[in-house]
Amino acid sequence: MTRGSRYQRYEGGDPLAPPVDLAEALDAIGEDVMAGYSPERAMREYLRRGDSDRRGLDDLARRIAERRRDLLESHDLDGTLREVAELLEKAVLAERGQLARDVDMDDGDRVLRQLQLDGLPASPAAAVSELSSYEWASSEARETFEQIKDLLGRELLDQRFAGMKQAMEGATDEDRAAVAAMLADLNDLLEKHARGDDTTEDFERFMERHGDFFPERPGSVEELVDALAARAAAAQRMLASMSPEQRAELMELSQQAFGSPALNEQLARLDGNLQGLRPGEDWSGSEQFGGGEGLGLGDGTGVLQDVAELDALAEQLQQSYAGARLDDVDLDALARQLGDEAAVDARTLAEIERALRSSGYLQRGSDGQLRLSPKAMRQLGRALLRDAADRLSGRQGARELRAGGGSADATGGTREWAFGDTEPWDLPRTVLNAVRREVATGDRAAGTRGVRLEIGDVEVVESEQRTQAAVALLVDTSFSMAMDGRWVPMKRTALALHQLVSTRFRGDRLELVGFGRHAEVLEIEQLTALDAIWQKGTNLHHGLLLAQRHFRRHPGMQPVLLVVTDGEPTAHLEGSGDVWFEYPPHPVTLARTVTELDNVVRMGAQTTFFRLGEDPGLARFLDALARRAGGRVVAPELDDLGAAVVGSYLGDRAARSPWGGSGGSGGFGGFGRGFWAG
């Protein structure tokens, strides 16, 4: 026996598209976190903006608002009234022509008919009502007038059951009787359901008898009520959106639907049942239409259903309610309103949100707040380090650094072999790469015993220099850093250097010190999440004291001091531990700062100052400190700060390496993107 298969349209976007890449999302979120946003807010902002490959929530919401506005501004609601008036005019004109041509008609009868036609009310509804008992002399006029009754019946049905206007065109008396029977049974079912007396068999019998009227094939009474109530509520909002005159006309005309008030009575009964079962629907709202394209009752109801759906989508995309998730967005509705591409964008954003929450990049702390996890910090650090590498490799005279370290101590890492490498092969990874390649390309036949190596399969063992360093990165966290837009570049620099040391030079010891009004040792997670400090004071004196403590803890390592600042020292520690602050810088503050720098120099530290900004006083001061310490001053642009610090660190390592080398001018030369590869 064969099992039957069912097929439906694929709704997942490109079936061959790779899984969502979180790298760009994490980079953007990390930037906002370093700028002071909470991770939750940063994630929300990313989802709102989108990225280079997809629209964000803001763009989708804008398009939703534009479509809503276009629907209301391009239509009005008197389409049915216009059509009735046109048919009425056509019928009366045909009747007048027949009266003029019929020479056999009694003159008195002719005059009475003409007077009746001449005295018709200006209101189409009143005219139709008056002519409902008129004996038409013209068969063409009679047929046209019957079209009015038929139109009204089809429009009223189309208001509650989409598509009925077209389906009932040219309907017979038998078709109208089937509609009447369906409405009666439907109202009986809904009233029974409201009392709680209905059964599954009742619904199944109803669908078996009248299922052709419901092509959407609801699976239960509740689904049937949901669909009908949404349409009926839209019909009520359409009536409320009309002018009082239009509304009165239609209410009067509705009594003529199919030539009797019976249909209108059944529909009024249906509206009452649905409103009782779904009181939460918007039964009393209204909209302001301002266009010139007339809508019939059914089409107008459909437009208002679209407007309601657009409003629901706008709320879902806004994500402003408690517990909001992008999984809440109705993708089917979004595709109906904006097209499949918009639904794919929203689905991808939802996948990114789920992945960020489930992949371990965001963690909840003991206080319940989301934070970037160590995994996220490593990912962000890799991206920042890669950016620094790109900038270094673009400098004039730069060349790649092939070796991962300086001599024979393995780092535990491997990388792809490149011409000129002398490191030993990592045989297990090399063979595994070859097997994977052959399987992926289909080159490996079943039962094959050997493996064919290619150059691209080879990986070599990385080694690390034996010379180790104790690195103190002192970053200015004073008021001016935040005020002048240097806060985030400072954090990016610290994170890139932390990533480099923790992954490629694990034997080195890095300590991050923030110095503002006072100085403190910061973990990378603390520094990344540190809000801008709006407190005046640049206490380099305290920072140098903490750097010396770090160097003393690692007496066998080469001390390296890196200082990032945009201002002269304006604070120092007193013997009591209190902070002394004065601006302009006090001579005592400068003297104590210089004293501690001398202590650092006596410990043998290699020193580099990174000057931000164009303050001439700061330039003179740092130049003097660099000459005193035998170090150097680098004045990078903000975008180049990370590359400058990383390049300086690598240059100092090259100067200490067993095979020598030069860091080049400012510590940049000699190192490109190769220091992070692998």
Side-chain angles (χ1 to χ4, degrees), residues 388-389 391-395 397-401 403 505 646-655 659-664 667-675:
R391 292 179 180 277
L392 279 173
S393 65
R395 296 183 185 280
R399 67 183 191 280
E400 290 193 353
L401 174 65
F505 301 104
V646 167
S648 176
Y649 166 73
L650 289 170
D652 289 338
R653 291 195 109 267
W659 10 273
S662 172
F668 299 126
F671 301 97
R673 68 183 69 221
F675 70 76

Side-chain angles (χ1 to χ4, degrees), residues 7-128:
Y7 299 89
Q8 66 182 34
R9 183 181 181 188
Y10 178 72
E11 298 180 347
D14 182 359
L16 301 180
V20 294
D21 182 7
L22 296 182
E24 186 171 355
L26 191 62
D27 290 349
I29 290 170
E31 285 286 308
D32 285 345
V33 168
M34 288 190 287
Y37 288 14
S38 69
E40 181 77 33
R41 181 184 172 192
M43 180 176 66
R44 289 291 168 205
E45 287 298 315
Y46 169 77
L47 296 174
R48 286 169 59 84
R49 293 191 304 265
D51 56 32
S52 59
D53 296 327
R54 65 190 55 83
R55 301 177 182 90
L57 298 180
D58 282 351
D59 185 75
L60 293 173
R62 175 187 57 77
R63 294 174 61 200
I64 288 289
E66 288 175 353
R67 174 159 170 75
R68 188 186 196 280
R69 184 178 64 251
D70 291 344
L71 285 175
L72 296 178
E73 291 182 354
S74 59
H75 298 98
D76 62 30
L77 299 179
D78 61 354
T80 298
L81 292 176
R82 289 183 193 174
E83 199 168 352
V84 168
E86 290 171 1
L87 288 171
L88 181 62
E89 183 180 1
K90 181 180 178 181
V92 171
L93 185 62
E95 181 69 6
R96 289 184 187 278
Q98 181 64 32
L99 293 177
R101 291 190 302 270
D102 193 348
V103 295
D104 296 331
M105 181 178 293
D106 180 76
D107 289 342
D109 187 24
R110 189 196 317 275
V111 171
L112 287 175
R113 287 173 180 271
Q114 288 175 340
L115 288 174
Q116 188 173 359
L117 294 178
D118 291 342
L120 286 175
S123 163
V128 169

Side-chain angles (χ1 to χ4, degrees), residues 19 195 221 345 349 452 499 518 567 578:
R195 297 192 302 269
V221 176
D345 285 338
L349 290 173
R452 181 171 54 84
Q499 176 70 16
H518 65 279
D578 295 331

Side-chain angles (χ1 to χ4, degrees), residues 15 18 28 31 58-59 64 86 223 237 411 441 447 466 490 513 644:
E31 285 286 308
D58 282 351
D59 185 75
I64 288 289
E86 290 171 1
E223 290 184 14
R237 292 196 301 277
T411 66
T441 59
R466 293 189 179 92
M490 172 270 290
V513 177

Side-chain angles (χ1 to χ4, degrees), residues 320-334:
S320 59
Y321 50 91
R325 293 289 185 273
L326 284 183
D327 287 333
D328 301 340
V329 177
D330 187 337
L331 298 179
D332 291 334
L334 192 61

Side-chain angles (χ1 to χ4, degrees), residues 517-539:
R517 188 89 171 194
H518 65 279
E520 60 178 327
V521 175
L522 298 168
E523 296 296 326
I524 188 61
E525 293 82 6
Q526 291 177 282
L527 180 60
T528 304
L530 187 65
D531 288 335
I533 300 173
W534 301 98
Q535 188 178 44
K536 294 181 179 180
T538 306
N539 198 337

Side-chain angles (χ1 to χ4, degrees), residues 116-307:
Q116 188 173 359
L117 294 178
D118 291 342
L120 286 175
S123 163
V128 169
S129 178
E130 185 170 321
L131 290 173
S132 61
S133 58
Y134 179 83
E135 294 185 8
W136 298 91
S138 166
S139 58
E140 180 187 352
R142 184 186 311 109
E143 183 179 338
T144 302
F145 188 76
E146 290 299 321
Q147 289 178 21
I148 294 176
K149 298 178 180 180
D150 182 69
L151 169 67
L152 292 170
R154 290 187 293 119
E155 286 279 21
L156 289 174
L157 286 173
D158 204 40
Q159 271 195 302
R160 276 70 172 190
F161 308 94
M164 288 289 278
K165 181 179 180 180
Q166 291 75 24
M168 292 294 291
E169 189 170 7
T172 64
D173 290 339
E174 184 179 349
D175 295 330
R176 297 188 186 97
V179 170
M182 181 273 291
L183 287 173
D185 289 349
L186 176 59
N187 278 313
D188 290 342
L189 176 64
L190 296 183
E191 288 162 3
K192 196 172 183 180
H193 183 67
R195 297 192 302 269
D197 297 336
D198 64 317
T199 63
T200 302
E201 290 74 18
D202 291 332
F203 173 73
E204 291 175 349
R205 279 195 299 271
F206 174 81
M207 291 301 296
E208 183 177 355
R209 184 178 180 188
H210 305 296
D212 290 343
F213 289 100
F214 306 95
E216 64 273 16
R217 307 302 297 179
S220 66
V221 176
E222 289 296 318
E223 290 184 14
L224 177 64
V225 171
D226 285 340
L228 292 175
R231 182 93 177 165
Q236 293 298 316
R237 292 196 301 277
M238 179 182 177
L239 288 174
S241 301
M242 293 178 172
S243 68
E245 294 77 16
Q246 290 175 322
R247 191 159 49 247
E249 287 278 307
L250 281 174
M251 294 303 291
E252 187 173 349
L253 281 171
S254 66
Q255 301 301 315
Q256 301 298 322
F258 291 151
S260 77
L263 174 63
N264 200 44
E265 292 168 0
Q266 285 282 24
L267 292 176
R269 179 185 170 197
L270 175 62
D271 288 345
N273 287 328
L274 292 172
Q275 192 164 356
L277 289 168
R278 292 293 184 271
E281 290 282 350
D282 183 6
W283 296 91
S284 59
S286 64
E287 298 291 345
Q288 186 68 41
F289 286 78
E293 183 181 344
L295 293 173
L297 298 182
D299 291 339
T301 298
V303 165
L304 283 165
Q305 271 194 293
D306 283 341
V307 168

